Amino acid sequence: MSEETRLARLEQRVQWLTDQLAISQLIASYGPLVDAGDADGVAALWAEDGEYDVEGWHMRSRDDVRAMVRSDSHQEIINGGSCHFLGPAHVTVDGDDAVAVCDSILVRRRNGGFEIDRAGASHFVLKRLPEGWRVLRRTTRLLNGGVQARGLLEAGVRGRPL
Amino acid sequence: MSEETRLARLEQRVQWLTDQLAISQLIASYGPLVDAGDADGVAALWAEDGEYDVEGWHMRSRDDVRAMVRSDSHQEIINGGSCHFLGPAHVTVDGDDAVAVCDSILVRRRNGGFEIDRAGASHFVLKRLPEGWRVLRRTTRLLNGGVQARGLLEAGVRGRPL
Amino acid sequence: MSEETRLARLEQRVQWLTDQLAISQLIASYGPLVDAGDADGVAALWAEDGEYDVEGWHMRSRDDVRAMVRSDSHQEIINGGSCHFLGPAHVTVDGDDAVAVCDSILVRRRNGGFEIDRAGASHFVLKRLPEGWRVLRRTTRLLNGGVQARGLLEAGVRGRPL
């Protein structure tokens, strides 16, 4: 193989590794940002018109995501002590598009200890924008045995957008 | 250093990074697949004659793993709402062999909320096969204070097969 | 771009990816090592005079960290069955310095099941030493709704040392 071919191949693989890492890190920053109540930081993970569809709450822009973080219900959760704990994401990159999936639990301080309020599955559709990878659509469903969360998990691992 | 040497060194390091990522991603897909009830997807993480030894249940092939996912006891767990939540894996790659270790908790829907049924340590021995990295042997033990789980954790972090 | 420039750029990016991975893996090894009671292994994650400041316990050296693992209180926790479950770290590397942040929960065996005793935020300041990346200072605070944990999370995600 020529040096040129080897260089081009390396550049491609390093780009892919960098994309995988960028997306994993974006998802790993959601929990810390949302528990810190950093509304701008959370909103900036999404594209300007990105969506976050979570159990009856359908946000359709960065502004909507920002408003969720500032809402009374979210503020009550974080003021009482909360950990939005997301697991390691499984990420599938395809050029400028990507799909990721992870589990998450919401741990809340209660009765002197901590309890798990929710366990959910999250499916992410992401896009490479000029400013970097951003979430186009996150869909989160409770892991309650129903078909919705299962569909998210299966599509997510196989890299299929919803 | 010659360009040839630099290229060869880069190729080696990029291969190592790619292997680390592939194994982390394989392990990150277990929870989503097993909660989705995707028996074929779960089984495909193992080598054809791979083993999964978990608390009195010793599977010795992909067929055994597939049967576990389809078993009444697993179906009851996922139909009731479950999250097999695995933590970030620590991975040690050595050529075509690898060892990984991670913690996991099994979160189940119960009494209107979610409870942790089990917390365990998992030790993985993996092999690079023509189709990619696969699990040769996964050993999981309850974190109950006993020596077994501790041995798994220590061997896993140090990259020692069991 | 000349081959020389492309090579140099690849070397830089591969070094960055390697550093990111090394730090993620260092943090991913903490839980397994501390639950295994491997005092030397845990201590070796820190620099010789590294600090670990956790809720009223301020360790200031590897020896202090080793003593914590061997302490009666830690031994009681692990002998009863425990899982120090750390989430995926968000890592920011800047040359020979780095900052990382992650959530963690402490899961303990109790009443025949498992309960969450603590949910915390951890902020890490790390340094590249001749022997590899080591922790200079880890600061952990309970996620109890107070400003301390929130400050850790926000600084951590933005890559700011405390």
Side-chain angles (χ1 to χ4, degrees):
Chain A
M1 217 186 301
S2 72
E3 291 209 348
E4 169 55 32
T5 307
R6 290 166 71 188
L7 262 175
R9 195 175 277 212
L10 277 168
E11 284 164 342
Q12 204 169 27
R13 290 182 72 180
V14 167
Q15 185 58 53
W16 180 79
L17 288 164
T18 305
D19 290 337
Q20 287 272 344
L21 180 64
I23 292 168
S24 298
Q25 292 281 290
L26 180 150
I27 294 173
S29 72
Y30 176 81
L33 288 168
V34 86
D35 285 317
D38 184 339
D40 290 328
V42 176
L45 305 178
W46 268 261
E48 187 57 52
D49 57 350
E51 300 180 41
Y52 183 10
D53 171 358
V54 50
E55 297 289 334
W57 195 338
H58 197 140
M59 297 159 255
R60 295 174 193 278
S61 66
R62 276 190 198 147
D63 283 345
D64 283 359
V65 172
R66 202 179 282 114
M68 176 274 288
V69 179
R70 292 184 179 149
S71 69
D72 288 348
S73 63
H74 186 75
Q75 290 296 317
E76 190 190 319
I77 290 172
I78 64 179
N79 287 332
S82 68
C83 181
H84 289 77
F85 198 102
L86 277 73
H90 182 279
V91 179
T92 308
V93 176
D94 179 19
D96 295 334
D97 297 288
V99 166
V101 67
C102 72
D103 288 322
S104 65
I105 56 176
L106 170 59
V107 179
R108 295 180 66 181
R109 188 155 175 77
R110 196 173 289 139
N111 306 323
F114 285 86
E115 296 179 357
I116 300 179
D117 262 35
R118 295 198 303 252
S122 288
H123 178 289
F124 299 82
V125 176
L126 303 112
K127 185 92 185 163
R128 187 201 314 273
L129 299 182
E131 65 266 35
W133 287 96
R134 292 295 182 273
V135 178
L136 288 191
R137 199 165 55 252
R138 173 179 175 181
T139 312
T140 302
R141 290 290 178 270
L142 205 64
L143 283 159
N144 60 4
V147 293
Q148 284 201 308
R150 292 196 202 182
L152 294 185
L153 292 170
E154 204 157 341
V157 169
R158 295 181 194 282
R160 286 197 309 260
L162 289 185
Chain B
M1 216 186 303
S2 73
E3 290 210 348
E4 169 55 34
T5 307
R6 290 166 71 189
L7 262 175
R9 194 175 279 211
L10 278 168
E11 285 164 341
Q12 203 168 28
R13 290 183 70 182
V14 167
Q15 184 59 51
W16 180 79
L17 288 165
T18 305
D19 289 337
Q20 287 272 343
L21 180 64
I23 292 168
S24 299
Q25 292 281 291
L26 180 149
I27 294 174
S29 73
Y30 176 81
L33 287 167
V34 85
D35 285 317
D38 184 339
D40 290 328
V42 175
L45 305 178
W46 268 261
E48 187 58 53
D49 57 350
E51 300 180 42
Y52 183 8
D53 171 358
V54 49
E55 297 289 334
W57 194 338
H58 197 139
M59 296 158 256
R60 296 173 193 278
S61 66
R62 275 189 199 149
D63 283 344
D64 284 0
V65 172
R66 202 179 282 112
M68 176 274 286
V69 179
R70 293 185 178 148
S71 70
D72 288 348
S73 62
H74 186 75
Q75 290 296 316
E76 190 190 319
I77 289 173
I78 64 179
N79 287 330
S82 67
C83 181
H84 289 77
F85 198 103
L86 277 73
H90 182 278
V91 179
T92 308
V93 176
D94 179 17
D96 296 333
D97 296 287
V99 166
V101 67
C102 71
D103 287 322
S104 65
I105 56 175
L106 169 59
V107 179
R108 296 180 66 181
R109 187 155 174 77
R110 197 174 288 140
N111 305 324
F114 286 87
E115 296 179 357
I116 300 179
D117 261 37
R118 296 197 303 252
S122 287
H123 179 289
F124 299 83
V125 177
L126 303 111
K127 185 94 185 163
R128 187 201 313 274
L129 300 182
E131 65 265 35
W133 287 96
R134 292 294 182 271
V135 179
L136 288 190
R137 198 165 54 253
R138 174 179 174 181
T139 312
T140 301
R141 289 291 178 269
L142 205 64
L143 283 159
N144 59 4
V147 294
Q148 284 201 308
R150 292 197 202 181
L152 294 186
L153 291 170
E154 204 157 341
V157 168
R158 295 183 193 281
R160 286 198 310 259
L162 290 185
Chain C
M1 217 186 302
S2 72
E3 290 209 348
E4 169 55 34
T5 308
R6 289 167 72 189
L7 263 175
R9 194 174 279 212
L10 277 168
E11 284 164 342
Q12 204 169 27
R13 290 183 71 181
V14 166
Q15 184 59 51
W16 180 79
L17 288 165
T18 305
D19 290 337
Q20 287 272 344
L21 180 64
I23 293 168
S24 298
Q25 292 282 289
L26 179 150
I27 294 174
S29 74
Y30 176 81
L33 288 167
V34 86
D35 285 317
D38 184 340
D40 290 328
V42 176
L45 305 178
W46 268 261
E48 187 58 54
D49 57 350
E51 301 180 41
Y52 183 9
D53 170 358
V54 50
E55 298 288 336
W57 194 338
H58 198 140
M59 297 158 255
R60 295 173 193 279
S61 66
R62 276 191 197 147
D63 283 344
D64 284 0
V65 172
R66 203 179 280 113
M68 176 274 288
V69 179
R70 292 183 179 149
S71 69
D72 288 348
S73 63
H74 185 75
Q75 290 296 316
E76 190 190 319
I77 289 173
I78 64 178
N79 287 331
S82 67
C83 180
H84 289 78
F85 197 103
L86 278 72
H90 182 278
V91 179
T92 308
V93 176
D94 179 17
D96 295 334
D97 296 287
V99 167
V101 67
C102 71
D103 288 321
S104 65
I105 56 175
L106 170 59
V107 179
R108 296 181 65 181
R109 187 155 174 79
R110 196 173 290 138
N111 305 324
F114 285 87
E115 296 179 357
I116 299 179
D117 261 37
R118 295 198 303 251
S122 287
H123 179 288
F124 299 82
V125 176
L126 303 111
K127 185 93 186 163
R128 188 202 312 274
L129 299 182
E131 65 265 34
W133 287 97
R134 293 294 183 271
V135 179
L136 287 192
R137 197 165 56 253
R138 174 179 175 181
T139 313
T140 301
R141 289 291 178 270
L142 205 63
L143 282 159
N144 59 5
V147 295
Q148 284 201 306
R150 291 196 202 182
L152 294 186
L153 292 170
E154 204 157 342
V157 168
R158 295 182 194 281
R160 287 198 309 258
L162 290 185

